[in-house]
Amino acid sequence: MRQASDYTEPALKTIFAEDFKIGAAVNPMTIQSQEHLLAYHFNSITAENEMKFESLHPLEDIYNFKLADQLVAFARKHHMAMRGHTLVWHNQTTDWLFEDKKGGCVSKETLLARLKSHIQTVVGRYKEDIYAWDVVNEVIADEGEELLRQSKWLDIVGPEFIGKAFEFAHEADPKALLFYNDYNESNPLKRDKIYKMVKSLLEQGVPIHGVGLQAHWNLYDPDLDEIRAAIEKYASLGLQLQLTELDVSMFRFDDKRMDLKVAPAELLELQAERYEAMFALLKEYRDVISSVTFWGAADDYTWLDGFPVRGRKNWPFLFDERHNPKPAYHQLLNAVTKS
Ligand code: HXH
């Protein structure tokens, strides 16, 4: 593995210093195993899992801040910005939140009171360290006419849980930038639904400051034109945009191939082309895009190992398993320094 003194290539955070922050999702393992890489190339982090509801608040009277605090300390140590992820989600949230003592459903009032208390505690605790929160994650339905996906939040509270979450977060830290975050954000059908939902929040006076484009992309999808159209549409709301969970999978989402044990040169080349084109586009929108966060940092650890195809490795980042720059890094650097 590379030592701190081995890092001599231009740092990503320097290359894009005039454009946007460059972030990485981290966890308690990677802040150790990837410390030099993170410190050298990145100026922002997000907790991959440690600030999700089930991690921070497993039981009504128990908060677990230990792991989240470790990540915050890492950001402080390396003078990095930190994003918070995530306050309201239908996944990785504990059942107690929605249940009364007898295991039945709580009332709307109780659920909102619990949400408010959770947000005050968590957002309040990290006020000095976290400048932006993903307040609501993934509430839009992927397919069909329905605007909002089915969830216990929707069942119990109705659609106003979304605006309430933003209000509670704004009360807890009036300085924090508050984001709505979602995936398949460049798909035209879902894009228009996200736009519609966020627009209605704005019309109701809800304190929302940005749209998070997760950007779980791959070599082939989404099309650059669709990414551009999505950026334009969200930006037309007058909000800032961030790419919050960027990765470029080697496989189309429905590709089940299992034969690759190492990343083939042809795919690394395609990935280099793709990253170059993507960042050229992102730079065009540097006035509205304030941060680009990868959902990891190097190919030794990615949530895409084993997802959605169990047992399959993936290589979605700019740095390889030994933290060396990949063809995508070199081509990106080349393109950006020429322009
Ligand atoms: C993100 N969801 C989350 O925001 C982040 O917190 C997490 O660490 C990783 C990714 C992306 C996602 C959303 C839906 C999804 C898969 C990933 O849905 C599927 C689940 C199974 C099969 C197909 C889709």
Side-chain angles (χ1 to χ4, degrees):
M1 208 55 85
R2 299 174 88 189
Q3 296 308 305
S5 58
D6 299 338
Y7 287 86
T8 53
E9 73 275 13
L12 288 177
K13 65 184 178 194
T14 311
I15 302 174
F16 296 106
E18 303 300 315
D19 304 314
F20 22 69
K21 291 188 183 67
I22 297 289
V26 300
N27 61 50
M29 175 189 71
T30 60
I31 58 169
Q32 296 194 7
S33 60
Q34 302 180 333
E35 179 163 17
H36 300 315
L37 176 76
L38 290 164
Y40 186 81
H41 279 288
F42 298 84
N43 53 15
S44 178
I45 59 169
T46 306
E48 183 187 14
N49 290 302
E50 291 67 19
M51 292 187 183
K52 291 172 181 172
F53 205 107
E54 69 173 9
S55 306
L56 285 180
H57 201 170
L59 297 166
E60 182 155 23
D61 302 318
I62 309 261
Y63 279 94
N64 243 329
F65 291 118
K66 193 167 159 230
L67 299 179
D69 285 356
Q70 285 176 15
L71 304 180
V72 170
F74 181 85
R76 283 195 172 191
K77 174 180 174 192
H78 293 291
H79 309 288
M80 293 162 152
M82 189 163 193
R83 303 187 77 263
H85 177 80
T86 177
L87 298 169
V88 172
W89 195 22
H90 59 283
N91 280 325
Q92 291 180 258
T93 302
T94 28
D95 288 337
W96 72 260
L97 177 62
F98 306 104
E99 290 170 3
D100 62 20
K101 287 196 191 71
K102 293 179 214 136
C105 252
V106 287
S107 67
K108 173 175 173 173
E109 291 67 32
T110 302
L111 183 52
L112 284 174
R114 286 176 176 179
L115 176 62
K116 180 171 184 170
S117 160
H118 175 84
I119 289 179
Q120 278 178 333
T121 305
V122 172
V123 174
R125 182 181 184 88
Y126 296 120
K127 256 171 131 109
E128 302 305 318
D129 299 285
I130 292 187
Y131 80 100
W133 272 98
D134 293 329
V135 177
V136 174
N137 201 33
E138 305 181 347
V139 294
I140 298 296
D142 280 297
E143 310 278 347
E145 293 293 298
E146 212 65 66
L147 187 67
L148 300 180
R149 79 166 62 242
Q150 259 325 304
S151 72
K152 289 185 188 164
W153 292 108
L154 186 59
D155 286 347
I156 298 172
V157 180
E160 71 254 42
F161 77 90
I162 301 168
K164 287 284 186 201
F166 282 92
E167 281 162 22
F168 298 153
H170 188 61
E171 256 174 62
D173 181 3
K175 294 197 300 296
L177 297 172
L178 306 180
F179 282 77
Y180 175 70
N181 191 49
D182 213 331
Y183 67 96
N184 284 349
E185 73 296 316
S186 301
N187 171 284
L189 177 78
K190 191 159 172 194
R191 172 198 72 204
D192 289 351
K193 290 199 269 184
I194 293 172
Y195 172 87
K196 186 172 168 188
M197 192 274 293
V198 173
K199 186 160 183 283
S200 107
L201 293 178
L202 286 167
E203 285 163 358
Q204 296 164 63
V206 169
I208 174 171
H209 311 106
V211 178
L213 294 76
Q214 287 189 7
H216 291 295
W217 298 338
N218 63 53
L219 293 182
Y220 316 97
D221 302 304
D223 206 271
L224 280 183
D225 295 335
E226 288 186 348
I227 297 173
R228 181 189 296 280
I231 292 173
E232 297 260 352
K233 182 132 197 178
Y234 299 137
S236 77
L237 292 164
L239 297 173
Q240 61 175 286
L241 310 184
Q242 299 194 339
L243 270 62
T244 54
E245 308 186 13
L246 175 63
D247 35 38
V248 177
S249 166
M250 290 294 194
F251 311 101
R252 286 184 198 277
F253 190 73
D254 54 7
D255 186 346
K256 300 281 182 289
R257 79 182 283 186
M258 282 283 290
D259 54 320
L260 301 179
K261 296 293 165 247
V262 294
E266 316 84 76
L267 293 189
L268 290 169
E269 280 312 310
L270 279 180
Q271 190 179 48
E273 298 288 333
R274 180 84 165 137
Y275 264 113
E276 177 186 346
M278 277 165 35
F279 273 85
L281 176 65
L282 297 177
K283 266 178 82 86
E284 282 187 54
Y285 291 94
R286 56 195 285 272
D287 293 343
V288 286
I289 299 174
S290 52
S291 171
V292 175
T293 294
F294 294 80
W295 209 235
D299 290 346
D300 54 321
Y301 175 78
T302 164
W303 75 293
L304 292 171
D305 285 346
F307 180 85
V309 175
R310 208 192 291 206
R312 182 178 69 184
K313 169 110 197 95
N314 212 322
W315 302 272
F317 297 126
L318 296 172
F319 302 96
D320 70 14
E321 287 150 279
R322 306 178 60 167
H323 304 175
N324 287 311
K326 290 164 64 182
Y329 169 89
H330 292 297
Q331 188 158 331
L332 187 56
L333 175 67
N334 214 338
V336 170
T337 46
K338 260 191 307 197
S339 67

